[in-house]
Amino acid sequence: MAFAQNIRHLARKAAAVTTITTASCEDAPTLREWLEKDTFSAAFSQGFGCEAASIGVALGLADGVGGPRQLRKRLDGVAGASSGAKVAAVLAAPNCPLEAFEALVKRMRFRDALLDFDDLALYEGGWARLSTFRKHFSGLVGGRDVQSLDMLPFSTTAFDLKSMRSDILSEGPLELVCFASGAFPPLFPPVHIGSSLYTDVAFFTDASGCRGLQTSPESRVLQVCHADVPFNGPWVVESPSSLGVREVCSVVLTGNTRVVPLPPGARVRVAAALDGAREAVVAALDRPLERVAPGHYVCRVSPKKRVAGAVDALALSALVAGVAGAVVGVLRRR
């Protein structure tokens, strides 16, 4: 039932997007002015391979308000889904430098992620456990629990294969819930939390990453969303009415910012996606926002540093198909 409701919600948003016309930009604030006006909650959309670009956006936003510490002071809470959950978690954890997460993502090697044959998870319903990356990420966020007293309010979502519903995860080890939200099948195996078995179907259930936000009718929400098809689209853009809040500023990334960590040149493409997104946001800070509806502003950014988006999309499709075949083959032989 919950799954069907989410599908209907996506359909309504997709229909609404096609009818939106840009309102007059008169009196519309700039992105910097919107950030400095009042506190807000932030959400990061799902998107396989979009961690680098999402980090770049977060760093660009921090540049606009005086640094990561000042950005955190303006946040009422953060949320995200799949890849967006990790970026949101780093923002929620105090004294966790965004630059350290940037360095971690930039230095990750393909063999550390998808070609570590000592870390395969074929009998668990996936290809690799990402143990190396998870270890570094856990150290980065200090092994915190989601409900640690020094944390900003944080939550993410994941799909429980046992109950067949999407749950909001707002307690438990920070590293565990983030990787449960990002357990993209069939590349990564489902994650056990308590009696639940979680996987990533955020494309259908929480594409915008906003579902876990703790808001009120007077809240302001900044959403960072990747809007390139086919793995995302314009339906990830939320509005004040869809979230039940006073104001929404949607930072919409286009221009193939998705990077699949496949050689050759994976590190170069990751750096290009991250740095390009950061530079694009900084360039947009003093540009008037688009006012598409009362209380709804949109900032469209398209990095100049393009990555091989089409190649990466084809590579991802081939990789997923190949891994799915391998996993099914192994499970059939058991």
Side-chain angles (χ1 to χ4, degrees), residues 48 51 86 108 110 112-114 116 119-121 127-136 175 179 182 187-189 261:
F48 185 83
E51 286 96 338
K86 302 177 187 68
M108 280 296 293
F110 174 63
D112 291 333
L114 299 176
D116 184 351
D119 193 41
L120 298 184
W127 172 256
R129 299 184 188 89
L130 285 179
S131 296
T132 299
F133 185 62
R134 290 180 66 164
K135 176 183 176 182
H136 289 307
E175 170 264 332
F179 281 86
L187 290 181
F188 311 124

Side-chain angles (χ1 to χ4, degrees), residues 199-223:
T199 191
D200 173 12
V201 291
F203 179 89
F204 299 103
T205 59
D206 189 21
S208 68
C210 293
R211 185 164 172 253
L213 282 177
Q214 302 173 30
T215 58
S216 72
E218 292 303 311
S219 296
R220 302 168 74 235
V221 172
L222 174 81
Q223 66 157 157

Side-chain angles (χ1 to χ4, degrees), residues 73-86:
K73 287 182 178 179
R74 287 169 166 76
L75 289 172
D76 295 321
V78 287
S82 191
S83 64
K86 302 177 187 68

Side-chain angles (χ1 to χ4, degrees), residues 254-274:
T254 58
N256 294 323
T257 54
R258 185 184 315 277
V259 180
V260 180
L262 294 175
R267 283 189 175 184
V268 174
R269 298 200 308 278
V270 167
L274 194 154

Side-chain angles (χ1 to χ4, degrees), residues 51-52 55 100-108 133 270 274:
E51 286 96 338
I55 297 165
F101 193 24
E102 173 189 10
L104 171 61
V105 171
K106 282 184 174 180
R107 73 169 182 261
M108 280 296 293
F133 185 62
V270 167
L274 194 154

Side-chain angles (χ1 to χ4, degrees), residues 31-315:
L31 178 57
R32 191 191 305 271
E33 290 169 343
W34 193 94
L35 294 171
E36 294 177 343
K37 179 181 177 182
D38 200 355
T39 60
F40 54 88
S41 297
F44 292 80
S45 81
Q46 68 91 25
F48 185 83
C50 291
E51 286 96 338
S54 292
I55 297 165
V57 172
L59 287 166
L61 295 171
D63 291 340
V65 296
R69 180 175 296 181
Q70 294 302 317
L71 177 60
R72 286 187 172 103
K73 287 182 178 179
R74 287 169 166 76
L75 289 172
D76 295 321
V78 287
S82 191
S83 64
K86 302 177 187 68
V87 183
V90 171
L91 274 176
N95 304 318
C96 181
L98 281 174
E99 293 82 359
F101 193 24
E102 173 189 10
L104 171 61
V105 171
K106 282 184 174 180
R107 73 169 182 261
M108 280 296 293
R109 300 172 299 178
F110 174 63
R111 61 178 175 269
D112 291 333
L114 299 176
L115 204 62
D116 184 351
F117 291 111
D118 293 326
D119 193 41
L120 298 184
L122 292 175
Y123 290 106
E124 300 168 25
W127 172 256
R129 299 184 188 89
L130 285 179
S131 296
T132 299
F133 185 62
R134 290 180 66 164
K135 176 183 176 182
H136 289 307
F137 183 82
S138 181
L140 185 66
V141 297
R144 286 182 173 85
D145 188 272
V146 173
Q147 293 183 318
S148 296
L149 294 178
D150 61 347
M151 285 275 294
L152 284 170
F154 166 83
S155 62
T156 184
T157 59
F159 189 79
D160 184 3
L161 291 170
K162 293 185 176 180
S163 65
M164 295 302 291
R165 70 182 185 191
S166 178
D167 292 341
I168 295 175
L169 307 181
S170 55
E171 59 182 27
L174 193 56
E175 170 264 332
L176 188 63
V177 300
C178 286
F179 281 86
S181 181
F184 180 68
L187 290 181
F188 311 124
V191 174
H192 288 273
I193 299 180
S195 60
S196 299
L197 184 64
Y198 288 112
T199 191
D200 173 12
V201 291
F203 179 89
F204 299 103
T205 59
D206 189 21
S208 68
C210 293
R211 185 164 172 253
L213 282 177
Q214 302 173 30
T215 58
S216 72
E218 292 303 311
S219 296
R220 302 168 74 235
V221 172
L222 174 81
Q223 66 157 157
V224 176
C225 44
H226 300 272
D228 279 331
V229 294
F231 300 107
N232 260 0
W235 53 83
V236 301
V237 179
E238 297 282 2
S239 66
S241 59
S242 67
L243 295 179
V245 297
R246 172 166 57 98
E247 202 168 82
V248 173
C249 179
S250 304
V251 179
V252 182
L253 275 80
T254 58
N256 294 323
T257 54
R258 185 184 315 277
V259 180
V260 180
L262 294 175
R267 283 189 175 184
V268 174
R269 298 200 308 278
V270 167
L274 194 154
D275 296 336
R278 182 177 189 173
E279 292 167 6
V281 170
V282 170
L285 284 169
D286 297 309
R287 189 175 68 207
L289 299 170
E290 294 179 48
R291 187 171 57 193
V292 297
H296 187 195
Y297 302 96
V298 173
C299 176
R300 305 181 194 277
V301 294
S302 184
K304 293 181 179 179
K305 293 183 179 180
R306 299 297 180 92
V307 296
V311 174
D312 280 15
L314 292 173

